[in-house]
Every structure is written in structure tokens, then in C-alpha cells.
Amino acid sequence: MGEEVRVIEKEPIEPGQIVVVGLPDVGLVGLIATQYLIRKLNLREVAYMHSDLLPPIAVLHGGLPHSPVRIFGDKGLLVIFSETAVPADAVAPLSRAIVDWCRSKEAKLIISLSGIPVPNRQDIDKPSVFGAASLPETLEILRKHNVGVLESGIMVGPYALILRYCAEHKMPALVLTAQCFFAYPDPEASAAILAKLAEILGIEIDTEELLRRGEEIRLRARDVMRRTQRELARMRKTQEYDIPLYV
Amino acid sequence: MSTARGRRRKTLFELLWEYAEELERTSEELMEALLAGERPAWDLRNRCIEPLTHVSVAPDEVIITMDMPLVKPETIRVRPVEDDLIEVVAEMKKALKPSDLGVVHVEGEIREMRARARVPVPVEMKAVKFVFRKGILEIRLPRKRRIPVE
């Protein structure tokens, strides 16, 4: 089971780093944010993930093949992202592999970036960021940075599992979610989440370019969004709208 | 030699379970068939690209939204084509080449965003209203009122 997804390191990776995860989800918030982060911080590819559960594709960059799920890093930061929609069947093994690998690398903190769909997104100029944590002490990071805590409800998808698996192993992890469109790519939400990530990490991330190129990014993200939506439907993602039952 | 008489009869639960599994298999096959008919979002013969579209049915209306980045808002045209089909066309702010979107193996130009959306319930097509905000087109169509049964 553990071998369904393998991480192949291209160079030695120092332990004790912070890991940021951006997998395709509602609004493609995490994927857009991590791609922008990698470019802005000039991170290099240090590892990639291999699995027969992923679609049989090679992502071409500069005419050369790459895995769709890769790990970039530098300066004490590792960024995991997937350029293609993660099939619903691969979500659990992939999430488990990410957590196991982070555990083997003694990750200082795992921060997953995602979106939380809101029906009135068009009326919101600056999306708010909410969060959840794997441990009570990690929750304090959210409170310290004025991130609204998702006190109750249901999370669906890889971030939900990453958070649960991290809790099982007592690993510090956060999920940051920005208000976003459910069915459309949302670079504004990605900018909002990057601003909060920068605050938590204490680094500078200029999101001006992301906002300026928002329309172009939305057009380019169209097909990944479409495929992601199909997988989200298979994961019953709409459960996130459900009212939690507490008696 | 086994006979039907010797076999245990299936319980209702087992039959239902088999039926559910069969239904799941059929829906998966249907999904695969749908995926097989996929086509690209862009159509270079008609110089257009199709927006992401979402249709939702509310008790009083049908709401269709379309993600339409990089279009000129003043050129958006929303037109009923049939009783249950609506067409949207808008000009792009500038003509795009496929290479602008990372597609380098074909040549051509994209000048319009164009889509047709099927409406799943009867609506008053003539009462169509739309707004365009944040690059999202929102079309509202009131549902036809049903005559109450005495």
C-alpha cells in the first residue's frame, strides 16, 4: 500500500523544512498559489512523485518530460504541487505518501493551501482566509495571525486526509482556505492565501503580478479546472456545504 | 452437477446490493463513454474558445454562470436558440494565438468566446436577464409556472 506512491529525490533534501502543498481543488486556489510561489521564489525541482494511480501522462517543460506531481525547494521551504487533477482513487494513497515523506524529512510544519467555495463570491472584493490545524498548539498559529478557525464542518479531499494523517502522527500541519468560486479558477483567492502564507512564514511575496495577470491565468487554468471538477464530484466534494450534526 | 434447486435464494439485501453495484458499473461506463467524446476547449475553425459553464436550478429560476476572462463586456450577446438552449458570444479583448495559451502545435487565432448551454427545466426564455461582474457572466431565466392540480 505504501508503495502505491513513491517520492523520488533528485538531490539530498535537508530535514526540518517547512512544506507547502498545492493540489488541484476548488478554485484551483492552492495550485495557482504554489505555481506562483515557486516562480517568485525561484525554487528548483528537488523531487517528484511516481504512482501508477496517476493518469499516464508526462508534463513537458522545455521539451522534457516531468511527473505531474513534483516537489520544489530552496531556502528552507519545500513546495509540493500537482499540475494535473488528482484522480479520486489516488487521493488517499497520495495524501498518505505526502505525510509519510514529510515525516521522514522531519517537516517543521506542513501548510496546505486550498479554497472554500462561497456562493456570493462575486460580491467579495478581498477573499477572507480561514483555517484548520492538526494539533491544538498548531491552531495557535492561526489565531496569532488572525485566521478564522473552521470550528466545525466537513473537509473533503487530499487536504482533509493530510490533516488527519498528520494528527495521527502528531505532526504540525495547517490547512489555509480562501473564499473562492466553486467551479472557476480564482487567482484573487490565491493572492489572498499567499498574503496570509507570507505573513505566517515571515517572508515577502509580491502578489501584484498574480492579480494583474488574473484573467489570463483563469483562461489558461480552464482545462485543469474542468478535470478537477470531475474528480471533486467523485469525491463528493459538495459535502463541504453540509450542515454539521452536533446534538 | 449443480442444480438451481440446491442453491440458496438471495436475500432482498443481496439483490439490492448487486443492483447497486451494477448501477455503479453502468454509470462508470457511461462516464468513460462521455470522456471518450472529449474535445478541446478551443475551435480554431470558428476562432473561438468555450468558457467554463455551470447551470443550477433554483425553485423559481435557472441560473447559468460562465467564466469569461479577457472578453470585452460590451460585446456580450445572450440569445435563446431553442426553448431549452441558450447561446452566448463575446469578443476577446485581443485575438489570442494558441501559443499564448501554451498550445504550440497548431496555428490560428481565437477571437471569440462562445458557448451553448442546455437548460434542464422549462423556462421563460423571453424573460432572460444577465449581468457581467468580475469576469463572470450570470444569466437568470425564470422557470415556467406549473398549473396546480385541483
Side-chain angles (χ1 to χ4, degrees):
Chain A
M1 190 74 177
E3 282 300 300
E4 280 184 309
V5 182
R6 283 183 297 133
V7 179
I8 294 113
E9 296 176 17
K10 295 174 74 177
E11 58 180 77
I13 295 172
E14 289 293 314
Q17 302 194 54
I18 289 174
V19 180
V20 176
V21 184
L23 301 173
D25 198 347
V26 284
L28 297 181
V29 177
L31 176 56
I32 295 169
T34 45
Q35 284 211 12
Y36 187 78
L37 187 67
I38 287 165
R39 199 166 59 75
K40 277 287 168 185
L41 298 183
N42 207 16
L43 306 181
R44 65 180 186 282
E45 187 179 329
V46 295
Y48 60 90
M49 301 186 94
H50 173 83
S51 174
D52 291 340
L53 297 172
L54 293 171
I57 61 170
V59 182
L60 296 174
H61 288 287
L64 297 171
H66 295 268
S67 163
V69 189
R70 292 184 285 159
I71 304 173
F72 282 66
D74 201 6
K75 304 160 193 161
L77 190 68
L78 293 164
V79 179
I80 302 175
F81 81 110
S82 171
E83 289 185 72
T84 186
V86 178
D89 296 343
V91 165
L94 184 73
S95 306
R96 179 67 80 186
I98 287 173
V99 172
D100 286 348
W101 185 75
C102 289
R103 201 172 165 215
S104 75
K105 292 291 156 193
E106 298 164 25
K108 201 191 287 180
L109 177 65
I110 301 167
I111 307 177
S112 302
L113 307 181
S114 181
I116 186 161
V118 284
N120 64 333
R121 173 65 185 91
Q122 276 166 289
D123 303 324
I124 297 169
D125 285 330
K126 203 169 174 224
S128 298
V129 177
F130 296 87
S134 60
L135 305 167
E137 52 270 32
T138 327
L139 213 49
E140 284 308 309
I141 300 173
L142 298 177
R143 296 205 173 101
K144 185 180 161 194
H145 294 281
N146 298 316
V147 177
V149 174
L150 297 166
E151 296 284 351
S152 58
I154 294 169
M155 291 179 87
V156 178
Y159 302 116
L161 294 184
I162 289 172
L163 204 61
R164 263 183 46 204
Y165 297 155
C166 283
E168 277 173 23
H169 296 297
K170 303 210 175 336
M171 292 166 67
L174 297 174
V175 176
L176 297 179
T177 62
Q179 291 176 316
C180 70
F181 292 114
F182 182 78
Y184 304 131
D186 199 334
E188 269 186 17
S190 302
I193 215 158
L194 279 175
K196 193 51 80 179
L197 179 74
E199 190 188 318
I200 292 171
L201 298 181
I203 60 172
E204 288 274 326
I205 306 169
D206 181 5
T207 57
E208 184 275 331
E209 188 192 343
L210 180 56
L211 293 168
R212 180 166 44 79
R213 291 181 51 220
E215 284 193 278
E216 176 206 327
I217 292 167
R218 276 164 53 193
L219 198 62
R220 292 179 78 114
R222 181 200 177 288
D223 288 328
V224 182
M225 184 77 254
R226 187 168 52 88
R227 291 184 192 283
T228 300
Q229 263 191 282
R230 280 197 194 133
E231 299 305 330
L232 293 177
R234 286 180 174 146
M235 289 177 223
R236 309 286 189 267
K237 183 74 177 175
T238 47
Q239 284 180 91
E240 288 187 353
Y241 287 122
D242 289 1
I243 297 166
L245 168 67
Y246 292 108
V247 182
Chain B
M1 190 175 157
S2 66
T3 60
R5 200 180 300 162
R7 282 188 208 135
R8 181 175 66 87
R9 287 186 67 181
K10 288 176 181 171
T11 64
L12 180 63
F13 178 76
E14 285 170 332
L15 287 168
L16 279 171
W17 185 257
E18 278 180 11
Y19 176 70
E21 281 184 330
E22 181 60 32
L23 202 65
E24 194 177 336
R25 266 197 300 278
T26 309
S27 68
E28 277 174 10
E29 282 167 15
L30 190 67
M31 176 66 87
E32 294 311 315
L34 285 170
L35 296 181
E38 280 191 13
R39 54 191 166 76
W42 34 269
D43 173 358
L44 293 175
R45 199 177 55 181
N46 292 308
R47 297 177 175 181
C48 64
I49 188 164
E50 195 179 324
L52 288 170
T53 300
H54 186 257
V55 181
S56 63
V57 179
D60 295 329
E61 60 184 354
V62 172
I63 304 165
I64 303 169
T65 60
M66 292 184 185
D67 186 29
M68 303 185 78
L70 293 174
V71 302
K72 294 180 193 167
E74 67 277 15
T75 66
I76 296 172
R77 300 191 303 278
V78 178
R79 186 175 70 95
V81 180
E82 292 169 16
D83 286 347
D84 63 346
L85 189 66
I86 201 150
E87 183 183 68
V88 175
V89 184
E91 286 176 31
M92 306 299 292
K93 286 178 186 165
K94 62 167 191 170
L96 294 173
K97 289 179 183 160
S99 58
D100 294 332
L101 302 174
V103 181
V104 296
H105 61 280
V106 287
E107 289 187 0
E109 243 182 15
I110 294 162
R111 293 188 173 181
E112 285 182 343
M113 201 165 258
R114 181 184 286 267
R116 284 187 169 191
R118 188 72 63 182
V119 186
V121 293
V123 291
E124 304 285 355
M125 273 290 183
K126 285 179 182 169
V128 60
K129 284 182 182 167
F130 65 90
V131 288
F132 186 68
R133 285 183 301 154
K134 285 187 178 285
I136 308 274
L137 179 70
E138 187 178 277
I139 303 166
R140 287 176 182 268
L141 293 153
R143 289 179 68 173
K144 276 188 178 162
R145 292 199 181 277
R146 286 185 183 170
I147 300 161
V149 179
E150 289 287 322

